[in-house]
Amino acid sequence: MTSSDLRRSWDREGPRQNDDPSLRLLREGALDLEGRLVDASNTTLRAALTLDGMTAHCVYKPVRGERPLWDFPDGNLAGREVAAYLVSAATGWDLVPPTVLRDGPLGPGSCQLWIDGPDELEPLVGFVPADALPAQWFAVAAARDDEGTPYALAHADDPRLARLAVLDVIINNADRKGGHVLVGPDDRIYGVDHGVSFHVEEKLRTVLWGWAGRKLPAEVAEVLAALADAVAGDLGGELAKYLTRGEIAEVAARIGRLRAAGRFPLPSPQWPAIPWPPM
């Protein structure tokens, strides 16, 4: 069974259980480092996994390679990657690839299933000429290139992206760059890089502001209701392995505020709305 086979199985079957082959491979597979992703601010490595005839690639982020941050505890980002996966799985949307916390060649860290997208694919987020905004796209911010030509940071009005925007609100994602939005070969949306999420203070920072102030999609109300119950139950217990009680309480509070408002939030004036760099 290959990485693509595992991903298709995961997509077809929905949220993962403990006996899921992709999670077992991530937890127990022999992990061989292949190289470093040099654009990442923290140590981020691509690795090959093998176990009982199964093979896949993963992103391995060792705790020892985490750069200290002023607003997040040291050595805590890998656990937040796993927490984001757990919340995503609980929504039923499966927007975050399977992710576990495990030991590796550089010590404990997060290990996430690698997503290979098609070689030629039109991005759903990016900079476009200001006078050529694609149909059914939202302009999020104005920009200019080195020659002064006006551009717009924009994203597609795509229901898959809208789901990801809702997830980012729930987990309080402080770093949703355009490059953190992937499209797999199955034409599904995936969000990655969630280490700076779940803070108790509002820190939502994203390029997906196109729906700000708009009504939530009809499907979201039911998902939020089920998620609220899950956080109060088994999901909350799982999150407690990676987050503080205060952080879990704030997850529940954000879900409650979303349900009460029925709308996507507006950017906060107390915090930068868009990450830098945006892509």
Side-chain angles (χ1 to χ4, degrees), residues 4-16:
S4 295
D5 295 331
L6 286 166
R7 185 173 52 247
R8 282 193 292 269
S9 173
W10 172 56
D11 292 335
R12 184 171 57 250
E13 298 173 14
R16 302 298 83 211

Side-chain angles (χ1 to χ4, degrees), residues 25 28-32 48-57 102:
L25 178 57
E28 303 175 20
L31 197 156
D32 296 313
L49 289 162
T50 56
L51 178 70
D52 297 338
M54 296 186 294
T55 62
H57 287 93
R102 61 162 290 172

Side-chain angles (χ1 to χ4, degrees):
M1 181 176 285
T2 67
S3 178
S4 295
D5 295 331
L6 286 166
R7 185 173 52 247
R8 282 193 292 269
S9 173
W10 172 56
D11 292 335
R12 184 171 57 250
E13 298 173 14
R16 302 298 83 211
Q17 304 300 323
N18 289 332
D19 59 351
D20 173 66
S22 63
L23 289 177
R24 180 168 173 259
L25 178 57
L26 287 167
R27 291 192 184 105
E28 303 175 20
L31 197 156
D32 296 313
L33 302 182
E34 295 184 332
R36 181 171 180 173
L37 306 184
V38 296
D39 291 338
S41 57
N42 296 308
T43 301
T44 303
L45 304 157
R46 175 180 158 110
L49 289 162
T50 56
L51 178 70
D52 297 338
M54 296 186 294
T55 62
H57 287 93
C58 69
V59 176
Y60 166 52
K61 297 182 178 181
V63 170
R64 70 167 65 175
E66 294 179 4
R67 180 168 54 93
L69 299 172
W70 67 270
D71 52 349
F72 283 84
D74 292 347
N76 193 253
L77 305 188
R80 294 171 192 273
E81 297 272 9
V82 182
Y85 162 68
L86 292 172
V87 174
S88 166
T91 65
W93 292 333
D94 290 320
L95 295 166
V96 179
T99 310
V100 303
L101 193 66
R102 61 162 290 172
D103 200 10
L106 298 180
S110 63
C111 189
Q112 184 174 86
L113 191 67
W114 181 275
I115 298 298
D116 279 314
D119 292 334
E120 295 185 5
L121 183 71
E122 290 296 325
L124 297 174
V125 184
F127 287 100
V128 299
D131 59 354
L133 186 71
Q136 297 183 338
W137 274 52
F138 295 120
V140 174
R144 291 184 182 271
D145 64 12
D146 293 339
E147 285 73 42
T149 305
Y151 278 78
L153 175 62
H155 66 77
D157 182 7
D158 188 306
R160 299 170 299 173
L161 282 182
R163 288 178 170 184
L164 188 58
V166 171
L167 177 67
D168 284 340
V169 176
I170 294 168
I171 68 173
N172 198 17
N173 189 355
D175 195 32
R176 175 61 71 207
K177 293 181 171 70
H180 297 170
V181 179
L182 308 180
V183 181
D186 45 25
D187 201 36
R188 284 187 53 177
I189 291 290
Y190 301 91
V192 298
D193 286 343
H194 301 105
V196 288
S197 298
F198 296 102
H199 203 283
V200 294
E201 299 175 5
E202 290 302 317
K203 290 183 178 288
L204 181 61
R205 188 166 52 187
T206 175
V207 296
L208 302 179
W209 284 116
W211 297 280
R214 296 176 182 240
K215 288 185 177 180
L216 295 171
E219 65 170 326
V220 173
E222 183 176 348
V223 170
L224 292 177
L227 190 59
D229 291 340
V231 172
D234 291 345
L235 176 59
E238 287 296 306
L239 292 176
K241 299 175 183 178
Y242 311 103
L243 305 174
T244 67
R245 281 187 288 182
E247 288 166 341
I248 297 170
E250 283 302 314
V251 172
R254 287 190 292 272
I255 293 170
R257 288 194 293 270
L258 269 177
R259 295 179 69 188
R263 295 180 178 273
F264 288 93
L266 297 170
S268 170
Q270 308 301 321
W271 178 252
I274 296 174
W276 186 262
M279 297 299 295

